[in-house]
Amino acid sequence: MDVVLSYADSYVLTPYVYPDTWREDDPWRQIASLEVIVSVGAYLLYFTVATLNYCCTFDKRLLRHPLFLKNQIQREILCTVISVPFVGIPTGAIFFLEVKGYSKLYDNVGDTRLGYAGVLISMLTFIAFTDMVIYWTHRLLHHKRVYKNLHKIHHNFKVPTPFASHAFHPLDGFMQSLPYHIYPFLFPLHKVTYLGLFVFVNIWTVSIHDGNYGVPESLKSLVNGSAHHMDHHLYYNYNYGQFFTLWDRIGGSYRYPSSFEGCGPIDQMLAKETESALK
């Protein structure tokens, strides 16, 4: 995150925001800057990706589903807007530790033993590590003593839109993002690669809420896509995974998506509409 902070300081914060007497390397300035960068960046990414996804990908037929709430999209957005700054507080603190050099993030690929092969390996292990930890974190959030106070807010949206992707209780949202932040403190990771992966996981989070089930046949049982996650919203105790179905299979929580079997939410809705039209 020091890369982003440096650009923000050079082009915005130093020339236009902070007084000349407040040095760029002052810890309190860095913390304040990171908190703002996290929240503004999260809003920009969320509204850009969710809006594009809603306009271009989301199956609008789901808006007619009986479980779709009144003013649901507005409620999803409001929940996210309120949550983001609170999630940003501990997130900014973690980024501050990264800026101060406590993580294993590095600048130059050429300085590492494996070079670009190491970058590729770290991308794969990042996905594998976070997929595993998020699975168990997600299961914990469904424990009866935790669920009603935290994760239930997200599950109020049983038929979600892309705007529900970040609609969490702040503690819930931070807990599910924590594996992404833990990884670079445990394993070496290129700084720009880390930023790219951070953007990717946010795009992925939106995509599994988009109601588009167009997954290649060969990947339907491997990739945890929006059809899998839709069933998670509808049936609660299945398909906790983030990227793949591996941990759901290991943990006994895998459910083959009802939409792939012709009995998903759209199929049920269309069947009821046809039945009503024939009466």
Side-chain angles (χ1 to χ4, degrees):
M1 187 52 69
D2 60 335
V3 176
V4 177
L5 181 59
S6 177
Y7 274 100
D9 279 334
S10 298
Y11 296 104
V12 179
L13 300 178
T14 297
Y16 302 112
V17 178
Y18 294 127
D20 295 338
T21 54
W22 206 3
R23 302 191 325 273
E24 291 184 359
D25 61 351
D26 182 277
W28 291 111
R29 168 173 162 164
Q30 290 177 328
I31 291 171
S33 299
L34 288 167
E35 297 295 342
V36 172
I37 289 169
V38 168
S39 292
V40 172
Y43 282 139
L44 288 173
L45 191 58
Y46 166 73
F47 280 109
T48 300
V49 178
T51 300
L52 287 172
N53 200 296
Y54 178 80
C55 294
C56 303
T57 306
F58 179 67
D59 193 326
K60 306 299 191 300
R61 292 178 296 177
L62 288 169
L63 300 177
R64 308 200 308 268
H65 196 282
L67 294 177
F68 196 85
L69 304 176
K70 182 180 180 181
N71 299 322
Q72 179 172 313
I73 294 177
Q74 293 93 318
R75 293 166 67 175
E76 292 170 341
I77 293 173
L78 179 62
C79 181
T80 303
V81 168
I82 293 173
S83 178
V84 162
F86 291 101
V87 176
I89 293 172
T91 302
I94 293 174
F95 284 150
F96 176 71
L97 294 177
E98 293 175 2
V99 168
K100 289 302 181 182
Y102 291 102
S103 72
K104 295 188 177 183
L105 292 166
Y106 61 89
D107 290 292
N108 300 315
V109 177
D111 294 340
T112 62
R113 183 168 59 88
L114 297 176
Y116 285 99
V119 173
L120 177 59
I121 292 170
S122 67
M123 292 170 64
L124 297 176
T125 55
F126 177 91
I127 296 297
F129 173 83
T130 56
D131 193 46
M132 175 187 68
V133 181
I134 288 173
Y135 172 81
W136 292 108
T137 302
H138 198 171
R139 287 205 70 160
L140 172 63
L141 288 164
H142 275 259
H143 189 281
K144 61 182 179 181
R145 294 184 180 179
V146 179
Y147 176 81
K148 65 179 180 180
N149 294 316
L150 293 180
H151 199 51
K152 186 178 180 180
I153 292 174
H154 185 65
H155 274 275
N156 285 334
F157 310 115
K158 293 180 173 62
V159 181
T161 77
F163 294 104
S165 58
H166 292 70
F168 292 98
H169 183 286
L171 181 56
D172 181 359
F174 177 69
M175 287 177 64
Q176 294 203 62
S177 69
L178 192 55
Y180 304 125
H181 303 301
I182 291 175
Y183 182 92
F185 285 89
L186 299 177
F187 308 102
L189 185 61
H190 184 244
K191 289 180 179 179
V192 176
T193 302
Y194 179 47
L195 291 174
L197 287 168
F198 198 74
V199 172
F200 165 75
V201 297
N202 278 276
I203 293 174
W204 182 270
T205 300
V206 173
S207 75
I208 61 175
H209 293 85
D210 68 8
N212 185 302
Y213 312 135
V215 178
E217 192 68 33
S218 59
L219 298 178
K220 285 183 176 180
S221 296
L222 300 175
V223 175
N224 185 73
S226 59
H228 299 76
H229 198 68
M230 176 65 81
D231 276 9
H232 173 73
H233 272 259
L234 291 171
Y235 305 113
Y236 298 101
N237 295 321
Y238 302 96
N239 299 345
Y240 297 100
Q242 180 74 354
F243 301 112
F244 302 106
T245 62
L246 172 64
W247 286 100
D248 279 299
R249 294 178 185 276
I250 293 173
S253 55
Y254 176 70
R255 177 190 176 104
Y256 191 72
S258 57
S259 297
F260 294 161
E261 296 179 330
C263 54
I266 292 178
D267 303 297
Q268 295 173 358
M269 180 191 68
L270 293 177
K272 287 184 179 180
E273 288 180 350
T274 302
E275 182 180 344
S276 299
L278 294 174
K279 288 183 179 179

